[in-house]
Amino acid sequence: MIEAAETMEKAVITAFVNTVMPPLFKALSGSCKMVMNVIDDSDSMRRKLVLLAASMDDDLRRTKNPTAAAKVFGDQLRELTHDMEDCIERFLHRVSCAEGASRARRLGRFLLTICTRYRFGDKITALNRRLEELTNERLCQFVYDKPSPPPPLAPAAAQQREHVQLNPVGVEGAKGDILAMLEESPEELRVIAIVGFGGSGKTTLAKAVFRSTDDDRIRVFRSCRAWVDRAKEKNAGEIFRSLLQQFGYRGQGLLVDDEQYLQAQLMDYLRGRRYLIVIDDIGNGQWNSIKSAFEENSRNNGSRIIVTTTIKSEANTCCGNGKGFIYQMQNLEDQYCKTIALGEAPSPELQMGSEELLKKCDGHPLSLVCVANYLGGLNEPTGQRCRELCRYLGSKIHDNGNFERLKGVIMDNYTSLSNHVVRACLLYLSIFPNDVPLEKKVIIRRWIAEGFARSEDVDIDDQTIARWNFETFVDWDIFHPIIDTSNNGDVKMCKTRSIVHEYMLYKASRLERFIMSFPDWRRKVRHLCIDHRTPHKRRTTTDMDLSCVRSLTIFGTAGDTICEFHRYKILRVLDLEECNDVKNKHLKNIHKLWNLRYLSLGAEITSIPKDIAKLKLLETLCLSKTSVEELPVQVISLPFLHHLIGKFRIQYHGYSKSTLKKLSENSKLETLSGFIADFKSQGFLEILGHMSNLKKVKIWCQSSAAGDHDSILARKLSEAIQEYINPPLYIGDNRKLSICLQTFSGSFLNSLDTPCELTSLKLHGELRSLPRFVKWHTGLVELCLSSITVTRDVLSDLCNLKCLLYLKLISDCLDEFVIPQGAFRSLRRLCFKVQVSVFPRIEAGALRDLVSLQLLCRHLVGLAGIEIEDLRELKEVTLDSEVSRYTKESWETRAREHPNRPRILYTYKAA
């Protein structure tokens, strides 16, 4: 097994060296041209750092058992890289001149900072000396230390590979579902993909099905069936050879390493036979290399293939084009969790003491088995010992042999991630308490602010890299999605799997000064999360060294922490959104946080100081939880501000139109979500169209008290929106618009011209008809309408939107309507969120590409007249969790009768 701590330390160091340091050195070279030897020294440092990081990567690939010297070296290199980052950023802050400053001003700034530049030169020289020493130590280590071979596989690890419970608990329902899938469409080859996080019981379930020889659905395959074990460790030829051996093939060809020859032999053997093959633990991209051996000769003989995988995209590949079914592993129910972890008849004291521990296990079978093994080794397994295990669970996973298999699963997922940058992103998420849902947009923006999502490819921006990393964690089932009726199928809210979070938090805390989830006065820290939501967790930061803190996240009461901004010298991320005692007075000196990139504030904030315009590096300002009603217009011209979020007016009085226009033209804003449009904000509406980088805009329309100025505001709104939606979109770009009409008339929307360039539109307010520009907009792919009543005319017009992929309708009630044959030719996801249980009738031939149907009505009774048999691509139906038991059973029965056996999901509010 790869030693976990060293692997994660390397992730942090190499990700940092390869992504954060290059742009810093580039900026440095432009600021030190007149300081003797600094450029040469800094360039030498850059080359050596890259070389050392590469050598650490080589170590990771070469040896599974790093030496003690390698670990010490990793500690020293990590500390040195952080010191370099701190030094360079402080220097750049002190010597940089304002963007666009005159030549005379730049010269004056240079003269004033000559001493600073020379002092920095001395520091660079000292850092370079430290790096030289490290390099020499590394060379000595390479010459004298030969990596020790991997230790023999420990008994626990060996059992991990072969472990399958002979009498599994809680799989009967899942086993019945898989067996039912085996008999669907009996004349065609079908693939059933069982997908879930490692240790969730995929292999156990597949084995339970495979061993059901007394069931007629398995008995029909008795003459031709095989099981391929640990498939991701094999290449295609080895898989073919394993199958041929199990089928009794005795030809000399088994000794040949020719993949194409082995495939041909397997195809020849399987031709005309009805077979059942299980391929356990298939890897990423592996199915495409073996599928042709089965597809060409098994079209009409009822053969079945079961695959297990941890990767959702691989399951989709296996079952693509209607060739099979995907079974998503579910968490075990509470009754089975208690049985596995605590035994058949636990005492009341043990049950009560184990509640939090079982909650952390979160129905994960392997975690429960490991807990049972641990408790079984105690003389007296009491509730008190369960509480102790719960508190130190991450440490026990790392050190205790009873958790070796679980540790192996987590580390296998971790080390299989594509590169160190992705791993560092995962490690960073252990900052957040595990009971706090993670919002995709927040996580992506924080990763970018921290420098964890930079690409070496200049053609790929940070936003794309961060999004890909997030999607990887969802695809690998490391993130557990929280169903929140996303319009377009993207996961918007999620949680890290509890057991993964516990271990990642432990490992991240062991990496000195990387992450602390609580104040610790004994050492410096770089990422600090303070959770004061309960009184017993409260601690003080008075004696802590906060000078190197890069991110500060506070939940609950902050106490003295928020009054000490002067102690945070290089803070990049300040997240106070869930802090309940930060007030306006605490923001007085916030402008001194010169390195701040991400700022999010909480509910007690009612105003923002004008000095916030001094935060020149700020990228995200989130005010959505605040009561801020006005923002100074200077905010929009912050040179790096990309995302401005909240509900506010822009305070621009005292500025001429030409000045406002210049501010807007210099704006880098991509997200303005959103601002209040009323009669007083007409001036801002006039400059909205000059913000050329905007990609997402949200507007709250507000009528005047008497309504006498509404016509003027409507004209200004129409002009501003027209300017925003008209410019052409580049390939791959998105442009989103959200308009909340509230009591304002939406008639002005009919004055918007077509064509327009929008990919997503949300309209909230009373709509009697669909605006003209929407009716004729051919490129719209996502639409959300919220109105008290959605009329028959609106529904009829929607049917003609041929390119629409995602549609969400929110209303008290819908008019009766029939979705005709051929309507919504491209629609993939359809969501109804209504108070009255009346839904359109769906004719055969309509919604032919629909994969997701959401019927969100707590008063839904039974099937409500909705027929899904003709929705041939349907994969999931989502219902409100508060519907009756009868309704749930009705839909689950209907889903089992559907050819695709779509999943029935239920919405739950995020905790």
Side-chain angles (χ1 to χ4, degrees):
M1 163 147 350
I2 295 176
E3 209 289 327
E6 178 68 8
T7 302
M8 295 187 183
E9 289 167 359
K10 290 179 180 179
V12 177
I13 301 164
T14 53
F16 175 79
V17 168
N18 291 321
T19 59
V20 178
M21 294 304 287
L24 283 177
F25 279 118
K26 182 178 179 181
L28 178 62
S29 65
S31 300
C32 298
K33 292 180 180 178
M34 298 186 70
V35 181
M36 190 70 68
N37 296 329
V38 169
I39 295 178
D40 291 339
D41 284 351
S42 62
D43 190 52
S44 173
M45 287 168 61
R46 180 186 61 79
R47 291 195 305 269
K48 290 175 184 175
L49 277 173
V50 172
L51 182 61
L52 287 174
S55 76
M56 294 185 74
D57 280 341
D58 291 341
D59 271 358
L60 184 59
R61 284 187 288 267
R62 185 173 60 245
T63 177
K64 303 289 187 180
N65 189 29
T67 64
K71 297 175 187 177
V72 172
F73 175 80
D75 291 339
Q76 293 175 350
L77 181 58
R78 182 183 63 253
E79 187 65 28
L80 177 59
T81 54
H82 286 314
D83 288 347
M84 286 179 180
E85 182 188 26
D86 296 348
C87 179
I88 293 172
E89 286 193 342
R90 283 187 169 110
F91 169 74
L92 292 174
H93 167 63
R94 289 170 184 169
V95 303
S96 297
C97 200
E99 187 177 357
S102 66
R103 185 174 181 181
R105 190 177 181 89
R106 291 198 302 272
L107 178 59
R109 181 67 176 171
F110 174 78
L111 293 174
L112 288 172
T113 58
I114 283 179
C115 292
T116 299
R117 293 168 190 266
Y118 277 100
R119 282 197 301 269
F120 173 74
D122 292 338
K123 290 182 179 180
I124 283 289
T125 301
L127 289 169
N128 204 7
R129 201 160 40 239
R130 285 174 59 188
L131 182 56
E132 186 70 34
E133 292 170 358
L134 270 181
T135 304
N136 292 334
E137 291 172 9
R138 182 62 174 166
L139 288 173
C140 292
Q141 179 189 345
F142 180 77
V143 171
Y144 294 110
D145 290 353
K146 293 183 178 180
S148 57
L153 198 64
Q159 292 171 11
Q160 174 190 331
R161 289 186 167 183
E162 301 295 344
H163 175 79
V164 174
Q165 288 180 286
L166 296 178
N167 297 298
V169 174
V171 301
E172 285 304 315
K175 174 183 167 183
D177 289 339
I178 301 296
L179 288 170
M181 292 175 183
L182 290 175
E183 64 180 349
E184 292 285 349
S185 303
E187 73 285 356
E188 298 178 4
L189 171 68
R190 283 290 180 265
V191 180
I192 295 99
I194 305 175
V195 61
F197 186 70
S200 60
K202 303 181 298 297
T203 302
T204 299
L205 174 58
K207 189 68 76 172
V209 172
F210 192 73
R211 289 172 173 166
S212 299
T213 52
D214 57 341
D215 191 294
D216 290 340
R217 291 166 291 190
I218 295 296
R219 192 180 295 122
V220 295
F221 302 108
R222 63 182 179 273
S223 62
C224 191
R225 64 192 196 122
W227 178 289
V228 178
D229 187 1
R230 302 191 297 274
K232 70 180 179 183
E233 299 178 11
K234 299 178 171 68
N235 58 38
E238 290 170 333
I239 291 175
F240 297 149
R241 182 183 292 111
S242 174
L243 290 171
L244 286 168
Q245 289 173 335
Q246 293 182 67
F247 289 139
Y249 182 84
R250 294 291 182 266
Q252 293 296 317
L254 289 178
L255 304 177
V256 177
D257 287 330
D258 187 333
E259 180 181 311
Q260 292 183 347
Y261 177 81
L262 291 169
Q263 178 176 328
Q265 295 301 308
L266 180 62
M267 292 174 65
D268 184 62
Y269 180 84
L270 294 178
R271 188 170 289 111
R273 286 185 166 90
R274 188 178 188 184
Y275 57 83
L276 171 64
I277 294 174
V278 179
I279 304 177
D280 186 36
D281 197 19
I282 196 169
N284 196 15
Q286 208 168 9
W287 175 253
N288 285 330
S289 67
I290 64 173
K291 65 180 181 180
S292 56
F294 311 110
E295 291 179 340
E296 295 183 8
N297 60 3
S298 306
R299 292 176 180 170
N300 298 305
N301 60 9
S303 295
R304 297 291 180 265
I305 298 175
I306 298 175
V307 301
T308 71
T309 181
T310 59
I311 305 171
K312 294 179 181 178
S313 58
E314 187 66 14
N316 292 333
T317 300
C318 295
C319 304
N321 301 320
K323 296 177 183 177
F325 309 101
I326 296 176
Y327 184 86
Q328 176 70 50
M329 293 298 296
Q330 303 296 313
N331 296 337
L332 290 176
E333 297 177 9
D334 290 347
Q335 65 189 69
Y336 297 125
C337 293
K338 291 180 180 179
T339 300
I340 294 173
L342 308 179
E344 293 291 342
S347 68
E349 188 271 345
L350 182 59
Q351 290 190 60
M352 184 176 298
S354 64
E355 287 180 358
E356 288 300 316
L357 177 61
L358 295 183
K359 189 180 295 185
K360 284 188 177 181
C361 292
D362 200 23
H364 183 245
L366 181 56
S367 301
L368 294 165
V369 170
C370 292
V371 167
N373 292 340
Y374 176 83
L375 294 178
L378 300 177
N379 290 330
E380 295 183 9
T382 63
Q384 183 60 35
R385 298 301 298 270
C386 286
R387 293 187 189 96
E388 180 183 273
L389 174 59
C390 181
R391 182 175 181 181
Y392 301 109
L393 186 57
S395 175
K396 293 296 184 183
I397 294 173
H398 179 67
D399 295 327
N400 191 283
N402 291 299
F403 292 90
E404 186 69 21
R405 286 172 37 225
L406 179 58
K407 176 182 174 182
V409 165
I410 297 173
M411 286 310 303
D412 181 57
N413 277 268
Y414 181 82
T415 55
S416 297
L417 292 171
S418 59
N419 57 58
H420 292 299
V421 175
V422 186
R423 296 171 197 167
C425 286
L426 178 59
L427 200 63
Y428 178 76
L429 294 181
S430 57
I431 289 174
F432 300 95
N434 194 47
D435 60 343
V436 175
L438 305 178
E439 187 177 355
K440 178 181 179 180
K441 295 174 184 176
V442 171
I443 296 304
I444 285 177
R445 290 166 186 161
R446 286 190 57 155
W447 278 339
I448 293 171
E450 296 278 9
F452 287 144
R454 290 177 182 164
S455 171
E456 297 179 28
D457 187 339
V458 295
D459 295 326
I460 306 177
D461 60 30
D462 296 353
Q463 183 82 15
T464 301
I465 292 294
R467 179 171 54 82
W468 286 351
N469 291 348
F470 187 94
E471 291 170 355
T472 295
F473 299 147
V474 173
D475 189 32
W476 287 47
D477 216 22
I478 295 171
F479 281 175
H480 185 64
I482 297 173
I483 300 173
D484 64 344
T485 66
S486 168
N487 296 350
N488 57 15
D490 286 345
V491 174
K492 292 185 176 181
M493 299 285 289
C494 64
K495 287 184 179 180
T496 308
R497 289 194 170 273
S498 298
I499 209 71
V500 175
H501 179 271
E502 287 297 314
Y503 190 54
M504 291 292 127
L505 176 58
Y506 171 74
K507 303 306 297 180
S509 299
R510 276 185 94 235
L511 299 178
E512 293 182 11
R513 292 173 288 278
F514 181 64
I515 288 176
M516 285 294 293
S517 61
F518 53 85
D520 188 339
W521 58 89
R522 295 169 295 182
R523 56 181 173 142
K524 292 191 297 185
V525 63
R526 295 193 173 269
H527 303 282
L528 177 62
C529 177
I530 300 175
D531 186 359
H532 283 174
R533 289 175 294 173
T534 55
H536 72 275
K537 291 185 176 182
R538 292 178 185 173
R539 304 188 187 184
T540 179
T541 61
T542 305
D543 298 324
M544 289 185 67
D545 182 355
L546 303 175
S547 62
C548 294
V549 172
R550 292 265 160 183
S551 68
L552 174 62
T553 307
I554 300 178
F555 295 88
T557 303
D560 59 355
T561 308
I562 51 176
C563 301
E564 302 171 330
F565 288 138
H566 63 282
R567 297 177 62 195
Y568 299 93
K569 305 295 186 182
I570 50 176
L571 195 68
R572 280 174 171 257
V573 171
L574 179 59
D575 192 339
L576 303 176
E577 189 166 299
E578 299 300 328
C579 180
N580 55 30
D581 66 339
V582 60
K583 302 184 185 300
N584 294 340
K585 63 181 181 180
H586 297 126
L587 303 184
K588 181 180 178 181
N589 295 317
I590 199 169
H591 64 278
K592 295 182 179 180
L593 299 176
W594 55 270
N595 202 32
L596 200 62
R597 318 296 174 96
Y598 180 98
L599 175 60
S600 181
L601 299 172
E604 297 297 316
I605 298 298
T606 60
S607 66
I608 299 296
K610 291 184 178 180
D611 282 345
I612 200 170
K614 295 180 180 179
L615 299 176
K616 299 299 184 182
L617 298 178
L618 195 64
E619 298 170 355
T620 297
L621 176 58
C622 182
L623 306 172
S624 56
K625 292 287 184 73
T626 72
S627 302
V628 173
E629 296 182 354
E630 289 190 343
L631 269 183
V633 73
Q634 298 97 317
V635 170
I636 68 171
S637 63
L638 283 170
F640 292 99
L641 188 66
H642 295 298
H643 308 287
L644 181 56
I645 303 148
K647 184 179 180 181
F648 43 76
R649 294 177 183 85
I650 301 295
Q651 190 179 30
Y652 63 91
H653 301 295
Y655 290 86
S656 65
K657 285 188 177 181
S658 61
T659 302
L660 290 174
K661 182 180 178 182
K662 185 177 180 180
L663 287 174
S664 62
E665 289 175 342
N666 293 333
S667 173
K668 299 295 193 299
L669 271 178
E670 297 177 5
T671 302
L672 180 56
S673 177
F675 68 93
I676 298 171
D678 58 10
F679 183 71
K680 296 179 181 179
S681 61
Q682 293 181 65
F684 180 72
L685 288 171
E686 291 177 3
I687 65 171
L688 183 66
H690 299 293
M691 299 182 189
S692 58
N693 294 300
L694 281 176
K695 297 179 180 178
K696 181 178 180 180
V697 172
K698 185 172 185 178
I699 305 172
W700 277 275
C701 303
Q702 195 169 93
S703 298
S704 58
D708 49 346
H709 298 299
D710 285 1
S711 60
I712 300 175
L713 176 59
R715 178 170 56 82
K716 295 291 186 182
L717 272 169
S718 178
E719 293 171 355
I721 293 172
Q722 190 74 62
E723 287 191 71
Y724 170 65
I725 65 178
N726 267 359
L729 282 174
Y730 296 102
I731 295 175
D733 279 356
N734 291 311
R735 184 176 292 148
K736 302 180 180 182
L737 175 63
S738 177
I739 302 175
C740 299
L741 296 170
Q742 301 180 100
T743 59
F744 196 81
S745 171
S747 58
F748 74 91
L749 295 172
N750 288 314
S751 64
L752 295 174
D753 295 330
T754 56
C756 64
E757 297 287 346
L758 277 178
T759 54
S760 173
L761 176 65
K762 297 179 182 179
L763 297 177
H764 303 267
E766 190 60 24
L767 296 170
R768 306 305 301 178
S769 63
L770 203 63
R772 186 175 57 190
F773 84 101
V774 180
K775 292 180 187 179
W776 301 106
H777 184 17
T778 57
L780 193 66
V781 297
E782 181 177 347
L783 178 62
C784 175
L785 299 179
S786 178
S787 181
I788 295 175
T789 302
V790 177
T791 65
R792 187 176 291 104
D793 289 341
V794 170
L795 293 168
S796 179
D797 289 335
L798 289 174
C799 291
N800 297 319
L801 298 178
K802 298 179 181 179
C803 295
L804 197 65
L805 295 177
Y806 316 112
L807 174 62
K808 184 174 185 178
L809 299 176
I810 305 172
S811 179
D812 287 348
C813 63
L814 304 173
D815 280 357
E816 291 186 3
F817 184 72
V818 176
I819 300 178
Q821 180 181 2
F824 295 113
R825 296 181 184 179
S826 302
L827 199 67
R828 304 281 293 172
R829 292 179 174 271
L830 176 60
C831 174
F832 297 105
K833 189 174 183 179
V834 296
Q835 299 296 319
V836 180
S837 179
V838 175
F839 299 96
R841 183 168 63 84
I842 303 171
E843 283 189 352
L847 303 172
R848 62 187 184 188
D849 288 336
L850 196 73
V851 297
S852 174
L853 177 63
Q854 298 179 350
L855 306 172
L856 307 181
C857 177
R858 59 186 300 186
H859 305 297
L860 180 69
V861 178
L863 301 176
I866 297 176
E867 298 296 334
I868 61 173
E869 286 79 3
D870 293 319
L871 304 180
R872 310 302 295 180
E873 301 298 322
L874 192 66
K875 295 181 180 178
E876 62 182 40
V877 177
T878 305
L879 308 176
D880 192 295
S881 60
E882 297 185 11
V883 297
S884 66
R885 184 176 183 84
Y886 164 73
T887 299
K888 292 178 180 179
E889 291 175 349
S890 298
W891 277 99
E892 288 167 0
T893 300
R894 185 55 55 92
R896 286 192 291 269
E897 296 169 352
H898 190 280
N900 282 356
R901 302 181 67 87
R903 298 172 62 201
I904 304 298
L905 306 175
Y906 301 96
T907 60
Y908 295 92
K909 293 182 179 179

